[in-house]
Amino acid sequence: MNNNPYAWIQESLTTIHRADWYRSVQTINSLPGATVLLSGQKVINFASNDYLGLAADESLKTSAIQAIQQFGTGSTGSRLLSGHRELHRELEQAIASTKQTEDAVVFSSGYLANIGTITALIGKRDLILSDQYNHSSLKNGAVLSGATIIEYPHCDIAALTAKLQQQRQKYRRCLIITDSVFSMDGDLCPLPELLDLAEEFSCMLLIDEAHATGVMGKTGAGCVEHFDCTGRELIQIGTLSKALGSLGGYVAGSHTLIDFLRNRAPSWIYTTALSPADTAAALAAIKIVQQEPERRQQLWANVDYLKQLIKENLPNLKILPTESPILCFPLPDAATALTAGKHLREAGIFAPAIRPPTVPTSRMRITMMTTHEKRHIEKLVAVLKSMQV
Ligand SMILES: *Cc1c(COP(=O)(O)O)cnc(C)c1O
């Protein structure tokens, strides 16, 4: 054997290039916001998950700085050892209060919250039913759990019911997992129907509110509130790193669930606690979400304005079905997506081309922010029109 055992890595990269799937980072050298400096060029930002514009908010920045002054930069250990601060508990109580659940627990990221929760709740003798368009963290959490995984067609309640009828009784526990707002499409899971099915077939239901927290529902509590399902028993996961402008993840649910996770979720027990700055910033963000509904109203007004302009100016432009501030325009292939992304960028618009393997089909993905001004939205539509996408 004289083969270089690492040679395959270069070959694999070459294949990635050939398929137009290659990715690399882009540098933003400014505060996050509706406009940013992207490698030195001022662009209008439609690529961010900072829906409410909180990542550069004065109140979040001040809270983070104060927390650093008081508690330092690192939390120095896991929550069960030296990492726990009163700030973590305050944040967890604020999340539980927004979600109207008995309790909540914060993880160091949304990804870790999903992985830790799924692996704690489900094992080899169990079944997971997973929407085919679920986020990577749900899919990998499912794989890591060792359970049997069945993917059901996107939001297809009839197909899910059929799978449950065929399979449910063969397994001990069953967990249904789904994004609530689908991150790369912008549509919503059929939550009331999922809750009914979960009850009928004695399944747990876990929804990922990453793109819904702070955005959906009258008080920004997420899709559970949007669908008027507050108070029904389920497992709600979310992130502090999108509309809440910080970093970290959470799980909200019953006392029993949260207490169990603190004892059994490996990605909570064996990782360093959220930093004081991230914790304080997220706490400040939750207060803003609760106290300033006008931020959410402005976000939805911006979404409506973009949809109206598209209807008037680009009647033939296809948009994937959406009920969130995420709007996607389907494109025929990865090469077209890359060209479109480049064209937008040259015209001063930052909107990413999302390609496989992140999604099954290529698309342009636009996310709206509270802090977009009318002229930003008008410019986007003018550029799209010039491209005749
Ligand atoms: C972003 C995202 C996550 C991961 O959250 P992080 O806090 O960024 O790790 C999980 N699920 C969905 C649906 C997401 O969009």
Side-chain angles (χ1 to χ4, degrees), residues 277-300:
D278 292 324
T279 312
L283 185 56
I286 296 231
K287 288 184 185 152
I288 291 175
V289 164
Q290 287 171 337
Q291 289 162 10
E292 299 177 25
E294 59 274 17
R295 298 217 188 207
R296 222 164 8 263
Q297 285 152 16
Q298 184 60 50
L299 173 64
W300 290 111

Side-chain angles (χ1 to χ4, degrees), residues 179-201:
D179 285 20
S180 69
V181 172
F182 282 87
S183 57
M184 292 299 144
D185 298 80
D187 57 345
L188 311 183
C189 75
L191 182 60
E193 290 85 352
L194 288 172
L195 277 164
D196 290 345
L197 266 188
E199 213 164 89
E200 183 184 343
F201 289 92

Side-chain angles (χ1 to χ4, degrees), residues 94-207:
I95 292 167
S97 138
T98 300
K99 289 271 176 187
Q100 296 185 49
T101 55
E102 287 175 2
D103 206 353
V105 57
V106 295
F107 283 69
S108 299
S109 78
Y111 210 112
L112 290 173
N114 274 328
I115 286 188
T117 304
I118 296 171
T119 51
L121 294 174
I122 274 290
K124 284 200 176 63
R125 293 157 60 197
D126 305 323
L127 174 65
I128 291 180
L129 288 151
S130 171
D131 189 288
Q132 73 179 130
Y133 287 178
N134 274 344
H135 188 260
S136 158
S137 54
L138 290 173
K139 293 190 177 196
N140 280 328
V143 171
L144 209 55
S145 76
T148 301
I149 303 163
I150 300 179
E151 283 204 341
Y152 59 89
H154 182 51
C155 291
D156 188 336
I157 288 290
L160 176 58
T161 309
K163 297 281 185 218
L164 283 165
Q165 282 163 346
Q166 292 157 12
Q167 305 290 337
R168 174 66 188 96
Q169 81 263 25
K170 297 183 199 160
Y171 297 89
R172 182 181 60 166
R173 301 182 198 127
C174 176
L175 176 70
I176 302 170
I177 56 177
T178 183
D179 285 20
S180 69
V181 172
F182 282 87
S183 57
M184 292 299 144
D185 298 80
D187 57 345
L188 311 183
C189 75
L191 182 60
E193 290 85 352
L194 288 172
L195 277 164
D196 290 345
L197 266 188
E199 213 164 89
E200 183 184 343
F201 289 92
S202 181
C203 304
M204 299 178 283
L205 174 63
L206 182 160
I207 67 166

